[in-house]
Amino acid sequence: MNEDITRRLREAAEAHQPNRARILARVERGAAGPPVRHRTSPFARSWPRAVLASIATAGILATGGFAVAAIIGTPPPSEPVITAPATPAPTATPSPTPSEAQGTVAPAPAPAPATTTTTPAGPRPTPSASSRPQNGSLWSDGSVDSHSTVYWAQDNLLLKTTQPLTSLTIELRVAQTGDVRDTGNWRTLPADDFTVTTQESGGALVYRWVLKPGRTVPVGQHEFAAQFNHATGVRNAANDTYRVDAQSAGGPASVWGGFGPGR
């Protein structure tokens, strides 16, 4: 609305053309009144008219000048400044990986391979008065096989000799702890070199290997094993025993002992 009023005033001021003759005539008619009773000098009667005419003319000119000055001097309203909202900086978006672009899912990492937990073997039994694991050229060690189960077991005898043996007898006794029954035996030496027997005797299952006449056991490490079933459960091998009697060039030698936890 302010812009419209300002515009109209400016147009009116520019179009105004004052009529000086009409203005003076109006002033003179207004100044004319009934005749004055007292006499005045001609100079006195003409002075008010001249003064009033001058004042009226000055007032009209001043009014028009003020209007024009007001219109011209008023600065046009400033155009509203519209500030565009700041555009936020684009956020960097990581490029999709080939698998994402194709809608595939990366394969899950392969599971770690299963590990087998093995119960560590207990300490080897300390030789006592009832055991002699080493004598002369012989060294021995008895243990329960680590593959034994709650139904089946195996007693292992490891024998070492530093001299060839011309005579060898091994007796391995498995205590009868309940349902102990023979399921086999084996040795690392040739089967034809030994006579093997298994029998029940004195509350034990007895395995015996006897070297045949004319055969020889070479220097080195050899193993003998007895296999058997037993009553369900963890079997106690504390009463299982072995004895070895041998003959070499150095003379006779004998070792004996029990069976500790498997290695």
Side-chain angles (χ1 to χ4, degrees):
M1 180 176 289
N2 291 336
E3 294 181 1
D4 185 58
I5 294 175
T6 302
R7 181 179 56 80
R8 291 184 180 182
L9 290 175
R10 185 183 293 111
E11 292 176 356
E14 292 175 354
H16 178 70
Q17 297 293 333
N19 191 329
R20 184 180 183 83
R22 292 179 62 185
I23 293 173
L24 293 176
R26 284 185 178 183
V27 172
E28 289 178 357
R29 284 197 303 269
V36 182
R37 295 174 180 266
H38 57 274
R39 296 179 62 85
T40 57
S41 64
F43 179 78
R45 287 196 302 268
S46 62
W47 181 83
R49 293 183 179 181
V51 171
L52 290 176
S54 299
I55 292 173
T57 302
I60 293 172
L61 293 177
T63 302
F66 287 153
V68 173
I71 294 173
I72 296 175
T74 302
S78 58
E79 294 294 331
V81 178
I82 301 175
T83 304
T87 303
T91 303
T93 303
S95 300
T97 61
S99 61
E100 293 174 345
Q102 300 175 8
T104 58
V105 180
T115 57
T116 302
T117 303
T118 303
T119 303
R124 305 302 299 169
T126 302
S128 62
S130 60
S131 67
R132 188 171 69 179
Q134 185 171 1
N135 178 233
S137 61
L138 296 180
W139 178 91
S140 63
D141 180 54
S143 64
V144 177
D145 193 275
S146 60
H147 296 93
S148 298
T149 69
V150 294
Y151 309 106
W152 174 91
Q154 175 176 297
D155 283 353
N156 298 327
L157 173 62
L158 186 63
L159 181 67
K160 293 180 182 179
T161 178
T162 58
Q163 294 183 2
L165 303 177
T166 56
S167 172
L168 177 63
T169 299
I170 297 175
E171 186 175 275
L172 192 157
R173 299 176 67 89
V174 178
Q176 185 56 260
T177 55
D179 295 333
V180 173
R181 295 188 303 274
D182 173 41
T183 59
N185 64 86
W186 56 267
R187 82 240 37 94
T188 55
L189 291 168
D192 292 341
D193 290 353
F194 291 88
T195 300
V196 183
T197 61
T198 304
Q199 63 180 1
E200 290 274 354
S201 175
L205 183 62
V206 181
Y207 295 80
R208 183 176 287 136
W209 293 267
V210 179
L211 184 65
K212 294 179 180 179
R215 307 296 174 91
T216 303
V217 175
V219 173
Q221 176 176 298
H222 313 288
E223 190 169 1
F224 297 81
Q227 299 172 329
F228 51 91
N229 287 335
H230 59 79
T232 303
V234 178
R235 181 177 177 276
N236 186 356
N239 294 324
D240 294 355
T241 62
Y242 70 88
R243 181 181 174 91
V244 179
D245 296 299
Q247 181 72 42
S248 67
S254 297
V255 291
W256 60 83
F259 293 86
R263 294 183 180 180

